[in-house]
Amino acid sequence: MKTVNEYIHENQQRFLDELFGLIRIPSVSSVPDHKEDMVRTAGYLADQLLKAGADHAKVYATEGHPVVYGHKIINSAKPTVLVYGHYDVMPVDPIDLWKTPPFDPEIRDGKIYARGSADDKGQLFMQVKAFEYLLSENLLECNVKFMIEGEEEMGSPSLNKWCRDNK
């Protein structure tokens, strides 16, 4: 069995490539010109969930930006963990304060600089990769559901209705 550190080391470049692919999509929820980017980001995440081992991952339309829902059910009698995250980011203004383009990730001094690298694309991506690791080593002992929204940075106006409609 591989340790988590071994798994990360063996997959480091793939992880960075996949994370950077996510970060490069300018998913600014509050800017109408980014509507297509929001849909593209949701599709990218659904694909990443399936690649990580989810049984199901789908992009659900809402009155605003899409919700990505995915799950892995290992045994319906086991407990279920819900992983919540969001793929939308804040606007980049003032742009002149950025040392590099905000959607062009750069590693400086061992840290990733880009819009969304931490809040919340980076954290969410790390959770998906932890899920992938647990599945790859047959260590997952609970069911996992992912609910990833695209409107957290604007107050989640569509999420309550989506949850009610998709119990």
Side-chain angles (χ1 to χ4, degrees):
M1 178 171 62
K2 293 178 190 165
T3 67
V4 69
N5 287 336
E6 290 169 336
Y7 192 78
I8 291 169
H9 180 73
E10 289 177 13
N11 292 283
Q12 183 174 353
Q13 191 57 55
R14 176 175 64 89
F15 289 172
L16 285 172
D17 292 344
E18 292 171 353
L19 173 60
F20 286 9
L22 176 61
I23 291 172
R24 284 187 178 105
I25 306 170
S27 54
V28 183
S29 56
S30 62
V31 177
D33 288 348
H34 288 288
K35 179 80 172 163
E36 288 181 26
D37 295 320
M38 300 303 291
V39 173
R40 191 163 50 112
T41 307
Y44 188 95
L45 284 166
D47 186 55
Q48 288 297 311
L49 288 173
L50 291 170
K51 287 178 180 177
D55 297 326
H56 168 85
K58 183 177 174 184
V59 175
Y60 291 83
T62 71
E63 292 174 8
H65 299 302
V67 169
V68 179
Y69 171 80
H71 66 247
K72 177 73 173 181
I73 306 299
I74 61 167
N75 182 333
S76 60
K78 296 242 181 195
T80 300
V81 171
L82 174 65
V83 177
Y84 163 84
H86 65 93
Y87 60 87
D88 62 322
V89 299
M90 295 293 288
V92 298
D93 294 324
I95 193 74
D96 59 323
L97 295 180
W98 288 85
K99 289 183 181 180
T100 56
F103 296 105
D104 188 11
E106 179 179 270
I107 299 174
R108 294 192 309 258
D109 299 321
K111 297 176 184 161
I112 300 170
Y113 289 84
R115 177 60 88 210
S117 63
D119 179 16
D120 185 48
K121 291 178 178 181
Q123 176 180 321
L124 175 61
F125 190 80
M126 188 171 40
Q127 292 165 326
V128 172
K129 293 305 155 185
F131 169 72
E132 176 186 307
Y133 166 72
L134 292 172
L135 284 173
S136 75
E137 298 303 317
N138 201 29
L139 296 171
L140 189 66
E141 296 184 5
C142 62
N143 305 307
V144 179
K145 294 182 179 183
F146 291 88
M147 182 181 68
I148 308 164
E149 67 160 314
E151 298 180 334
E152 189 274 344
E153 298 293 1
M154 32 188 295
S156 305
S158 303
L159 190 58
N160 284 339
K161 183 177 183 329
W162 182 86
C163 289
R164 281 192 307 273
D165 293 348
N166 292 279
K167 293 182 196 177

